[in-house]
Amino acid sequence: MNKLSWFLQSKYGAIVHWGLYAIPAGFWQGEYAPHGGEWIMKNWRSGIPYADYAALADQFNPENFDADAFVRFLKEDCGFRYLVFTTKHHDGFAMYDSACNDYNIMHTPYGKDVTRALSDACEKYGLTFCLYYSQLQDWADPNGFGNTWDFGPDQDKDFRKYLEEKCKPQLKELLTEYGKIGLIWFDTPYEMDKAQCQELVDFVHQFQPDCLINGRVGYNLGDYRQMGDRGIPLCTYPKPWEVPMTLNDTWGYRSDDDRWKTPEHVIRLLAEVAGKGGNLLLNIGPDAQGALPAESENILRTVGDWMKKNGESIYNTDPMPDFPYRLDTDFGCFTYSRDRKKLYMHIFRYPTVPPHQICVVGLETKVGKAYLLETGEEVMCWQTYETARDEHRLRVRLPYAKAPNALDTVVVIELEEDELRTQTL
Ligand code: JFZ
């Protein structure tokens, strides 16, 4: 069994950015700090002194946080298939019971190991449990990169000491004490050398050989390509890949970031990414109490409702060949299942003008019947070929004046051939 199988079939994961930074939520001493909430320690003025930032630990007490309910929500209401949790972000604070470094959640008024609670809940609800770990940046450690305002220039630091005394011991704790880990999600390798990155790959596999590693371990030594934040390739990328995507504009909770994407936007991103062969890793940034912003919860629930009825068009789909023309300017996009020999037509711009018909140029593969995924109701579908213009046309005619599902109406098109072929210009 290919160790990537679960990842390739999942298509839809959640990344949860949660830590001390949720307390200031983008503001320090009443003053705005730019960019993501999780970067406040570095981005406020010339940096928040470690002693001042670490004092947040004395305030951290999300006593109402319910890991079981949270994970059940992610799996059953939202339709996520894996969870990536920030066990240690760049601020160096560990959200788990780390024996090798006291700067962790157990030394707060809350005093509980949320990483273990999340691990147990993922096991219970069947969500693949994955861990984010910032392997280079650590603003709490004199030899971790990034904190130049307390500890001086990075080039003067002893990164080997950091690797041996914090990074690797913590990775070992996470890989030996929290059950099966689906993947380690490294981040910002920056100027690490290739040998150090390979060393981390080998170290992870020493404890869990089947644990996947993302591309941000560095030098593309991971098991799949990690696109830049919010970076969706223009065309299908045929190898395994994943794109992290914010639901608003930031990762860690900011009290002022209300630029929420609509559920329609998220579904379109999900369909586009799946059609191009990737996984969408959607961000959740709980507040200091571990609660989701109401807007975030509503968006995720609405997308989840759509997934309950249309998940077949996303889960376990395959990268598909590109069409000669953009499809989204006309109706939307396709996703594709090789095993099921099905194309899934995602209609975002419904043809409200009679005869409610969509024409797609460039599909060479012969098709059979077509039907609405949500109801099974057959719809008209036929193909023509114009020799003089060498154009294959597929026409689909819908039986309704308005979209059966305004978020995204999915039409299943059965293929009569094993290979999906499209024309190139
Ligand atoms: C990194 C982190 O710094 C950030 O806080 C968050 O965790 C995000 C998911 O990952 O930010 C990045 C890393 C890489 C790129 C952009 C932002 N990139 O390659 O474009």
Side-chain angles (χ1 to χ4, degrees):
M1 179 86 153
N2 178 342
K3 73 177 187 178
L4 268 159
S5 294
W6 73 264
F7 179 81
L8 296 173
Q9 291 165 12
S10 293
K11 311 307 293 178
Y12 190 38
I15 183 166
V16 174
H17 279 79
W18 194 32
L20 295 182
Y21 42 78
I23 297 172
F27 295 80
W28 192 263
Q29 295 176 359
E31 188 180 311
Y32 175 87
H35 308 302
E38 73 285 3
W39 274 74
I40 191 168
M41 186 180 169
K42 189 172 179 78
N43 287 341
W44 183 77
R45 295 189 185 170
S46 54
I48 301 171
Y50 166 70
D52 296 348
Y53 182 87
L56 291 170
D58 300 334
Q59 300 175 48
F60 191 76
N61 191 14
E63 51 195 353
N64 297 322
F65 179 68
D66 180 342
D68 188 274
F70 179 62
V71 172
R72 187 175 66 242
F73 168 71
L74 295 182
K75 178 68 179 331
E76 296 179 1
D77 297 318
C78 300
F80 291 115
R81 288 290 171 88
Y82 61 109
L83 164 63
V84 178
F85 179 60
T86 52
T87 55
K88 185 204 67 111
H89 207 270
H90 308 330
D91 65 358
F93 184 79
M95 293 290 279
Y96 77 95
D97 183 3
S98 174
C100 76
N101 188 292
D102 285 347
Y103 190 44
N104 70 65
I105 195 169
M106 303 311 285
H107 302 275
T108 67
Y110 182 64
K112 295 176 190 169
D113 187 340
V114 286
T115 299
R116 178 161 317 284
L118 290 169
S119 171
D120 293 345
C122 284
E123 174 77 27
K124 177 178 175 183
Y125 293 105
L127 203 62
T128 303
F129 187 54
C130 308
L131 303 176
Y132 172 109
Y133 192 89
S134 176
Q135 73 275 27
L136 175 75
Q137 294 198 75
D138 191 314
W139 306 330
D141 191 290
N143 291 305
F145 270 49
N147 182 337
T148 53
W149 58 97
D150 285 316
F151 305 125
D154 286 336
Q155 62 266 28
D156 297 342
K157 294 172 180 172
D158 183 350
F159 184 60
R160 171 54 56 186
K161 182 174 173 61
Y162 173 74
L163 272 180
E164 298 303 328
E165 295 183 5
K166 184 170 182 182
C167 178
K168 290 164 77 171
Q170 289 198 322
L171 285 170
K172 180 178 178 181
E173 288 176 329
L174 292 166
L175 287 158
T176 57
E177 300 170 19
Y178 291 86
K180 181 168 174 53
I181 307 299
L183 78 89
I184 296 287
W185 211 91
F186 288 115
D187 202 6
T188 63
Y190 290 164
E191 299 314 310
M192 286 176 70
D193 63 46
K194 191 170 183 178
Q196 289 169 332
C197 300
Q198 185 59 56
E199 183 181 336
L200 287 180
V201 170
D202 299 340
F203 189 75
V204 168
H205 291 152
Q206 201 177 311
F207 304 104
Q208 296 207 25
D210 290 339
C211 180
L212 299 182
I213 294 171
N214 72 332
R216 286 187 192 170
V217 66
Y219 300 92
N220 271 322
L221 292 171
D223 294 288
Y224 65 88
R225 173 126 194 178
Q226 187 79 67
M227 299 301 173
D229 284 17
R230 299 178 282 267
I232 299 174
L234 291 176
C235 301
T236 288
Y237 182 79
K239 297 175 186 171
W241 63 276
E242 176 193 67
V243 57
M245 185 66 66
T246 50
L247 203 47
N248 45 11
D249 279 346
T250 50
W251 306 97
Y253 177 67
R254 280 196 68 105
S255 57
D256 61 336
D257 184 352
D258 57 3
R259 269 173 40 92
W260 300 103
K261 294 177 177 68
T262 63
E264 295 86 341
H265 187 174
V266 173
I267 291 167
R268 294 180 189 195
L269 289 169
L270 186 49
E272 180 185 0
V273 167
K276 291 175 175 176
N279 286 16
L280 181 68
L281 186 66
L282 195 57
N283 184 67
I284 294 171
D287 66 17
Q289 284 305 314
L292 270 60
E295 301 87 341
S296 172
E297 180 169 344
N298 293 338
I299 295 161
L300 293 171
R301 202 179 287 280
T302 303
V303 175
D305 289 344
W306 180 88
M307 284 292 273
K308 283 174 186 157
K309 295 175 281 190
N310 297 279
E312 177 190 328
S313 69
I314 302 291
Y315 300 126
N316 202 5
T317 54
D318 303 287
M320 58 179 293
D322 296 306
F323 275 76
Y325 305 110
R326 282 182 58 179
L327 302 171
D328 58 344
T329 50
D330 189 5
F331 72 92
C333 69
F334 285 114
T335 53
Y336 165 56
S337 167
R338 186 186 306 111
D339 294 346
R340 302 189 286 271
K341 291 175 61 178
K342 288 178 178 177
L343 265 186
Y344 300 92
M345 184 184 227
H346 295 262
I347 303 173
F348 306 134
R349 292 183 65 250
Y350 190 82
T352 50
V353 173
H356 313 304
Q357 188 169 301
I358 293 169
C359 179
V360 182
V361 175
L363 176 66
E364 290 184 353
T365 302
K366 188 169 171 10
V367 306
K369 74 172 186 175
Y371 56 90
L372 294 176
L373 178 56
E374 287 192 23
T375 62
E377 181 181 0
E378 274 204 61
V379 299
M380 285 177 68
C381 167
W382 67 100
Q383 292 173 290
T384 57
Y385 176 66
E386 295 181 37
T387 310
R389 289 201 288 178
D390 183 25
E391 278 194 351
H392 290 268
R393 291 174 178 271
L394 166 73
R395 289 178 175 82
V396 175
R397 186 173 291 176
L398 284 301
Y400 299 107
K402 67 185 186 68
N405 188 321
L407 294 171
D408 172 8
T409 296
V410 181
V411 173
V412 183
I413 299 172
E414 295 183 344
L415 302 175
E416 303 276 293
E417 300 175 60
D418 292 337
E419 187 196 356
L420 179 63
R421 297 184 318 282
T422 58
Q423 287 183 277
T424 52
L425 292 180

